[in-house]
Amino acid sequence: MFEPKIVAFFCKWCTSAGADLAGTSRLTYKPNITGIRVMCSSRVDPEHILDAFKNGADGVLIGGCHPGDCHYQSGNYQTLKRVKLLKKMMTDLNINENRLRLEWISAAEGKRFAEVVDAFTEEIRKLGHIHYTTL
Amino acid sequence: MKRVGVFVCHCGINIASTIDISKVVEDLKNYPGITFIQDYKYMCSEPGQALLKEKIKAEKIDAIVIAACSPTLHENTFRMAVKSVDMNPYNCEIANIREQCSWVHNNISEATEKAKRIIKSVVEKALLDEDLEPVRVPVTRKALVLGGGIAGIQSALSIANSGYEVILVERQSSIGGRMAQLSETFPTLDCSQCILTPKMVDAGQHKNIRLMTYSELDDISGFVGNFKVKIRQKAKYVDWEKCTGCGLCIEKCPKKVPSEFDQGLGKRKAIYTPFPQAVPNKPVIDCENCTYFKTGKCRLCEKVCPFDAINFDETDSFIEEEVGAIIVATGYDVYPVLNMSEYGGGKIPDVIDGLTFERILSASGPTGGEVRRPSDGKIPKEIVFIKCVGSRDPEHHYPYCSKICCMYTTKHAMLYKHRVHDGQPYIFYMDVRAGGKGYEEFYQRAQEEDKVVFLRGKVSKVYQDDDKVVVCGIDTLSGSNVEIRADMVVLAMAIRPSKGIEELAQLLKISIDQNGFLTEAHPKLRPVESLSAGIYLAGCAQAPKDIPDTVSQATATAAMISNLFSQEYLLHEPIITGVDEELCSGCGLCVAVCPYDARKTNREKGVVEVNEILCEACGACAAACPSGAAQQRNFTDTQLSNMVKAILAE
């Protein structure tokens, strides 16, 4: 079975804490994902995401705080705007836009974290291996 | 290249049961960038930390990665440990292989591979970590409190009692605020002025408090610990140094105008103190109503003043001060009844708001505490109170609950009944929200002892019929229409942030919410701070609240400020985003995304400059920068890119 490689960026305050909660709750999810902890989802530059695809990531997940809950007031809104724009670019680059997913996962949503990771892993599995071609 | 040491923790069996640690150590031994790798049963234990320190010295390691539990648990432990052997703590990184790996996966080979990916990526980060020092800033140990109501008074007194200086700024000529206008307070019915005025006097006499009434904030610059403020002292036309507050000028002044303090029901003079217990108890001349200012003749006050204190030539003056922290306690206004024409607001003189009714109930009010209606002074025998007027009405007015109305309306009905024994109070309500210590009992008492009739339903119409005010509504509990021919109607109007809050928020660069109240830094965990460091919020400026909540919040702001002032220096997280001036084109994209105003374009140099103290290290600007000039320290583009590559490398 195809095992996708997934890179994730989690904000320190919400999603990474949610991932920790999934751990302390001993939930299980697919191991295909490897996370990078950043201060805020808004630190994630679209270039980092494209970098991931270029280097063989089959999917990229970004986790931030729910709207209105951002530790830095508006960081998650910046992320939302950038992701929307990047998805358009991805279509132009022949990368299925569903390979990039932005999710709001709070520090209390350990269960949701596990569910999101599993669902995203399955979706990427269906999409298959990425074929990244530069323009 | 930097020498990175990796320490893999077993955490007993917590990590070791799902991750093959010896394989991790074996496979990563030759990973480029790892100088040294070792595993240990409990890294956080004393022997674990001793091992860490010993190896740092023996192997000449200059950055470490601890592969263990979540950084929220022991990042600080290990940073302190490495600091003790002279390694910069920002070179200590945590690879979370417990919460985000061993605890969430069952398959040993999969978990082991994932742990390797996590460790490799964190090693890549550690390789490029810089030595960082927390940004140190001096602090001016003096606070500015804006607003002299109970919130401002309480916070000023608490700070002053901690031994720090306070400037208390109030735009009226006396402190006291809304609480000074109230009759009695729920749920204990103690007289508002009796409990407030001692605090006002304390604030006025405290050696650490400088009162600046009839003043407003005019300008501000700087940042936490180091604000520069400019305060406008409005022209009072009375030299308060000379004035003794004897009151002769007030007595002789021929001009009478409606008193704002009495909500327009009583009169005051053109030279006046807002109320008899004012602090400072010295008058000001209201130049818009003063006969001399309007006609050029009179100056009676000047003639009678025994101390030569009247000065018609006085102008506004400005005082500049340096302060370390600011409390915004600017309070509330009542949403004007004019907005409720369906309830006769502004048309029917006997339809008034709750605050006006407070003045009618007050022993020092325009009626001496007797309940008499405004139109003809008659004692109302039937009185209707309507709650949630303008509040909880998202379609026409405001969506929020004004919080205090349930209790004060209950109190109004009760106090009315105490004064007019044969009278009947009715309260129209949507819900009764009596959450608070002793509040539910108070509400029960109003029903049982004082026979207040509570009608659950909205009022559709209020109109004048002869000398009656007719209230048409519905009692949804019995399903019947209700028509009450009342003598007087009191509307529990919504409370609004006080006038000028938008301008003040703009000046202070703090945000206001969708309803116009000031926004706290976090709704649960940082409820008394604004999002700008060093600016705190107290009282109704932040959200509607009653006196106990206001006092609690005000005391909390003082605790926050004492905490701030007790530090020798302010330490600030150094993982801020700087600017490489050679790469920066001054485009300003980063300036636009910064929520803290930490970045400014220097037009002369054509580059963006960063105030390291204001930067909270989110990194939004670094992602926005098109040239790579903005790099977040220890989260640089290269570090993140290398981390991604390490995860994906075969």
Side-chain angles (χ1 to χ4, degrees):
Chain A
M1 192 165 60
F2 166 61
E3 290 298 344
K5 289 189 205 170
I6 298 170
V7 172
F9 296 93
F10 302 139
C11 82
K12 166 182 169 168
W13 305 97
C14 290
T15 309
S16 191
D20 282 356
L21 181 62
T24 42
S25 316
R26 304 299 199 280
L27 303 170
T28 54
Y29 53 82
K30 299 282 186 303
N32 305 58
I33 190 164
T34 310
I36 294 173
R37 183 172 177 254
V38 285
M39 296 299 278
C40 177
S41 63
S42 68
R43 172 63 191 97
V44 183
D45 193 319
E47 275 185 52
H48 300 138
I49 300 165
L50 290 178
D51 235 18
F53 289 130
K54 208 187 314 183
N55 284 284
D58 302 301
V60 173
L61 176 67
I62 301 173
C65 308
H66 281 273
D69 284 354
C70 176
H71 185 80
Y72 303 102
Q73 276 173 279
S74 55
N76 50 358
Y77 300 130
Q78 301 292 346
T79 313
L80 181 65
K81 284 192 238 173
R82 288 173 188 153
V83 165
K84 281 198 170 168
L85 189 62
L86 183 63
K87 277 173 174 268
K88 284 192 180 168
M89 275 179 64
M90 284 166 62
T91 315
D92 294 341
L93 289 166
N94 257 334
I95 307 172
N96 189 315
E97 61 159 273
N98 293 332
R99 290 188 187 273
L100 171 62
R101 192 188 279 195
L102 171 63
E103 289 279 355
W104 311 132
I105 301 170
S106 81
E109 294 175 323
K111 188 161 178 279
R112 207 175 103 73
F113 178 87
E115 287 165 1
V116 164
V117 169
D118 278 346
F120 188 55
T121 309
E122 281 321 303
E123 182 172 7
I124 300 300
R125 205 191 296 280
K126 278 190 200 121
L127 288 174
H129 203 294
I130 192 164
H131 297 286
Y132 186 92
T133 46
T134 43
L135 288 174
Chain B
M1 197 158 82
K2 221 167 172 178
R3 294 172 65 84
V4 176
V6 178
F7 296 84
V8 189
C9 180
H10 294 232
C11 194
I13 56 162
N14 281 301
I15 293 173
S17 65
T18 29
I19 293 171
D20 181 347
I21 291 181
S22 51
K23 184 167 168 38
V24 169
V25 172
E26 187 55 33
D27 289 359
L28 293 183
K29 205 169 56 188
N30 297 321
Y31 184 76
I34 296 182
T35 303
F36 174 86
I37 183 163
Q38 187 176 351
D39 59 305
Y40 192 74
K41 206 155 179 81
Y42 289 104
M43 278 310 296
C44 62
S45 67
E46 280 293 325
Q49 291 187 48
L51 171 81
L52 176 71
K53 292 177 198 173
E54 180 203 317
K55 293 295 174 193
I56 288 174
K57 282 192 243 169
E59 304 288 334
K60 295 191 172 58
I61 289 167
D62 30 34
I64 60 158
V65 172
I66 311 274
C69 55
S70 166
T72 48
L73 281 114
H74 283 306
E75 185 174 62
N76 205 37
T77 314
F78 293 118
R79 281 188 170 176
M80 290 302 109
V82 303
K83 201 178 169 193
S84 73
V85 286
D86 299 325
M87 181 191 280
N88 184 287
Y90 291 90
N91 282 301
C92 167
E93 295 285 353
I94 307 290
N96 181 351
I97 58 165
R98 192 179 75 172
E99 283 82 351
Q100 299 189 13
C101 189
S102 73
W103 276 353
V104 287
H105 307 308
N106 297 324
N107 182 307
I108 292 179
S109 81
E110 284 175 351
T112 305
E113 288 309 308
K114 176 163 168 181
K116 279 161 56 186
R117 290 199 295 271
I118 295 174
I119 295 169
K120 283 192 283 180
S121 76
V122 180
V123 166
E124 292 299 337
K125 181 173 191 295
L127 275 168
L128 294 177
D129 273 346
E130 282 179 76
D131 284 2
L132 299 177
E133 289 298 331
V135 183
R136 275 183 159 204
V137 249
V139 52
T140 307
R141 290 177 183 79
K142 186 190 279 188
L144 172 71
V145 177
L146 300 173
I150 182 59
I153 292 170
Q154 177 68 25
S155 43
L157 280 173
S158 301
I159 298 167
N161 287 337
S162 307
Y164 303 112
E165 286 179 64
V166 183
I167 303 169
L168 176 54
V169 172
E170 164 59 48
R171 66 177 162 196
Q172 305 297 331
S173 66
S174 168
I175 55 170
R178 294 287 176 211
M179 188 175 167
Q181 289 181 278
L182 307 182
S183 57
E184 292 167 26
T185 53
F186 61 79
T188 46
L189 296 187
D190 37 6
C191 143
S192 187
Q193 290 209 336
C194 307
I195 54 175
L196 176 67
T197 47
K199 278 190 176 285
M200 291 166 59
V201 173
D202 283 354
Q205 294 177 345
H206 203 294
K207 67 176 171 48
N208 285 338
I209 298 179
R210 175 172 175 195
L211 268 194
M212 290 193 65
T213 59
Y214 220 48
S215 300
E216 286 179 71
L217 181 69
D218 189 71
D219 200 10
I220 178 174
S221 60
F223 45 85
V224 57
N226 301 275
F227 293 108
K228 284 193 174 63
V229 295
K230 189 171 160 193
I231 299 157
R232 175 196 296 268
Q233 168 71 70
K234 294 182 276 186
K236 306 183 291 282
Y237 307 106
V238 178
D239 183 343
W240 280 7
E241 296 284 317
K242 292 179 182 167
C243 173
T244 62
C246 71
L248 210 56
C249 53
I250 301 175
E251 204 184 303
K252 298 293 179 193
C253 175
K255 178 75 182 197
K256 281 186 178 175
V257 290
S259 156
E260 296 85 357
F261 185 78
D262 280 334
Q263 297 292 107
L265 290 183
K267 299 275 187 205
R268 65 160 169 85
K269 298 290 184 67
I271 182 165
Y272 72 108
T273 57
F275 53 103
Q277 302 94 324
V279 172
N281 203 350
K282 299 191 178 175
V284 292
I285 294 176
D286 161 12
C287 63
E288 281 178 22
N289 288 300
C290 168
T291 313
Y292 170 68
F293 278 106
K294 289 179 88 168
T295 65
K297 282 181 196 149
C298 184
R299 301 180 83 121
L300 210 55
C301 49
E302 193 181 42
K303 283 174 206 129
V304 299
C305 178
F307 306 99
D308 200 19
I310 308 291
N311 175 11
F312 287 106
D313 300 325
E314 192 180 314
T315 51
D316 288 5
S317 57
F318 294 90
I319 291 106
E320 290 188 21
E321 281 280 351
E322 287 183 12
V323 296
I326 298 169
I327 294 177
V328 190
T330 48
Y332 70 94
D333 284 337
V334 173
Y335 187 44
V337 291
L338 284 171
N339 296 298
M340 297 306 302
S341 56
E342 63 270 46
Y343 289 173
K347 287 183 297 190
I348 306 173
D350 294 325
V351 173
I352 60 171
D353 64 36
L355 191 57
T356 309
F357 196 63
E358 290 285 344
R359 294 312 300 150
I360 292 176
L361 290 169
S362 172
S364 63
T367 58
E370 279 185 40
V371 182
R372 294 186 177 276
R373 64 183 197 179
S375 63
D376 55 7
K378 218 175 94 179
I379 295 175
K381 293 295 177 189
E382 284 194 287
I383 184 164
V384 172
F385 298 89
I386 308 175
K387 297 204 301 184
C388 297
V389 184
S391 311
R392 305 178 69 200
D393 188 352
E395 279 156 27
H396 304 104
H397 303 283
Y398 298 103
Y400 58 87
C401 165
S402 291
K403 197 162 179 194
I404 57 173
C405 323
C406 277
M407 294 312 295
Y408 80 61
T409 302
T410 306
K411 175 194 77 179
H412 283 169
M414 209 184 238
L415 292 178
Y416 162 77
K417 189 71 181 176
H418 294 177
R419 288 171 176 59
V420 186
H421 301 301
D422 58 343
Q424 180 58 57
Y426 301 89
I427 295 181
F428 277 95
Y429 69 99
M430 281 161 71
D431 294 290
V432 175
R433 297 180 168 180
K437 192 169 180 173
Y439 290 7
E440 175 65 19
E441 295 91 319
F442 185 76
Y443 161 57
Q444 294 297 341
R445 209 172 102 201
Q447 292 182 89
E448 287 159 18
E449 285 179 23
D450 294 305
K451 309 292 177 217
V452 179
V453 175
F454 282 80
L455 297 161
R456 188 180 191 280
K458 279 210 108 172
V459 169
S460 56
K461 194 163 74 172
V462 175
Y463 62 94
Q464 183 98 51
D465 184 24
D466 281 340
D467 76 335
K468 293 285 181 188
V469 187
V470 185
V471 179
C472 306
I474 184 166
D475 175 10
T476 56
L477 296 182
S478 67
S480 52
N481 288 324
V482 182
E483 189 184 289
I484 299 167
R485 295 181 62 79
D487 299 302
M488 190 173 171
V489 172
V490 180
L491 306 179
M493 298 302 298
I495 69 176
R496 301 287 307 134
S498 70
K499 193 167 161 271
I501 191 90
E502 289 99 347
E503 293 81 355
L504 182 64
Q506 251 173 17
L507 198 60
L508 294 170
K509 298 199 176 66
I510 55 178
S511 51
I512 50 178
D513 65 23
Q514 68 272 27
N515 296 319
F517 293 96
L518 299 173
T519 312
E520 62 284 354
H522 188 281
K524 286 86 162 180
L525 300 176
R526 296 170 70 194
V528 306
E529 297 161 72
S530 78
L531 272 159
S532 297
I535 302 182
Y536 302 87
L537 316 173
C540 291
Q542 181 250 341
K545 57 177 71 70
D546 58 21
I547 296 167
D549 282 0
T550 296
V551 170
S552 308
Q553 195 184 21
T555 313
T557 57
M560 299 290 300
I561 287 177
S562 294
N563 184 321
L564 185 77
F565 288 179
S566 65
Q567 297 171 53
E568 195 183 346
Y569 290 97
L570 303 184
L571 292 181
H572 193 73
E573 192 63 73
I575 50 171
I576 58 115
T577 306
V579 173
D580 181 340
E581 294 198 356
E582 294 206 349
L583 292 176
C584 177
S585 64
C587 70
L589 284 175
C590 60
V591 177
V593 299
C594 177
Y596 304 100
D597 263 327
R599 305 178 82 82
K600 289 228 155 45
T601 312
N602 181 331
R603 302 240 169 261
E604 260 172 47
K605 287 166 79 182
V607 294
V608 167
E609 288 173 346
V610 186
N611 184 327
E612 298 193 349
I613 294 148
L614 294 181
C615 174
E616 291 284 331
C618 62
C621 52
C625 178
S627 68
Q631 290 294 339
Q632 184 174 12
R633 291 184 192 156
N634 289 359
F635 283 95
T636 62
D637 284 338
T638 316
Q639 279 176 303
L640 290 173
S641 166
N642 289 355
M643 290 175 86
V644 167
K645 284 177 193 148
I647 290 171
L648 295 166
E650 290 303 330

